[in-house]
Amino acid sequence: TRDVLYLEDVNARLFGGIVNADAQFRLGQPGAYEARCAFFHLDIARCIRELELEKKVEMSGTVSGELAVRGTGGELALLSGRLRSQDAGGRLVIKDTAFLKNLAERSGQPMDLLMENIADYEYNKAYATAELEDGAIVLKTLLDGAGGKRDLTVKLHGVTTRR
């Protein structure tokens, strides 16, 4: 139709890797949108640097995966994505002590044990998902390395959603 903008097979550089996307945007108010993206070899360290998160976390490695999003205006109706590590894994260093303290309280583990187990961790494989759940974006990450598996969940609250 005339009031829909379609973008098909769009390729762009993103965080040192490549994103390929198909999207459609309904023109007018409030403007509905839908997109599916495939990511290839995104550099995690570059992503963290460009998002200005260096004071909270340091991470190396590359990831590939996909993301689907749908919404209207500022309201999300669908968010679903998966990423997996590429090559030989990488390293995760959590610098944000407030995050570690909160994680220790929620898990019932002593802070010093948590710091030892997760504050500086080398992984061989990483898997991550992003979902929309009860008005929050939920990011779940599973890291697997010589030191065992680490499972992290981060919820970003206050997301406006539409069912």
Side-chain angles (χ1 to χ4, degrees), residues 15 28 58 68 124-125 141:
F15 304 131
E58 178 182 315
N124 298 320
K125 295 179 184 175
T141 304

Side-chain angles (χ1 to χ4, degrees), residues 74-95:
E75 297 179 341
L76 278 176
L78 168 76
L79 174 71
S80 178
R82 295 180 303 173
L83 292 173
R84 64 200 160 282
S85 62
Q86 303 293 292
D87 307 321
R91 180 172 177 228
L92 168 67
V93 178
I94 298 176
K95 300 176 181 179

Side-chain angles (χ1 to χ4, degrees), residues 18-55:
I18 296 172
V19 60
N20 173 269
D22 292 323
Q24 59 180 316
F25 303 92
R26 292 201 186 281
L27 305 176
Q29 295 296 328
Y33 55 89
E34 184 171 347
R36 295 195 176 280
C37 304
F39 302 99
F40 304 96
H41 301 286
L42 303 184
D43 182 336
I44 300 169
R46 185 167 174 182
C47 175
I48 289 169
R49 188 173 52 254
E50 291 186 21
L51 295 175
E52 299 179 356
L53 297 172
E54 305 101 318
K55 291 181 180 177

Side-chain angles (χ1 to χ4, degrees), residues 51 53 56 76 79 99 106 129-140 153-161:
L51 295 175
L53 297 172
K56 294 183 178 285
L76 278 176
L79 174 71
F99 173 78
R106 286 187 297 127
T129 61
E131 300 289 335
L132 197 57
E133 190 176 289
D134 299 324
I137 296 174
V138 179
L139 306 170
K140 296 180 182 176
T153 299
V154 175
K155 286 189 176 186
L156 306 171
H157 295 279
V159 177
T160 305
T161 60

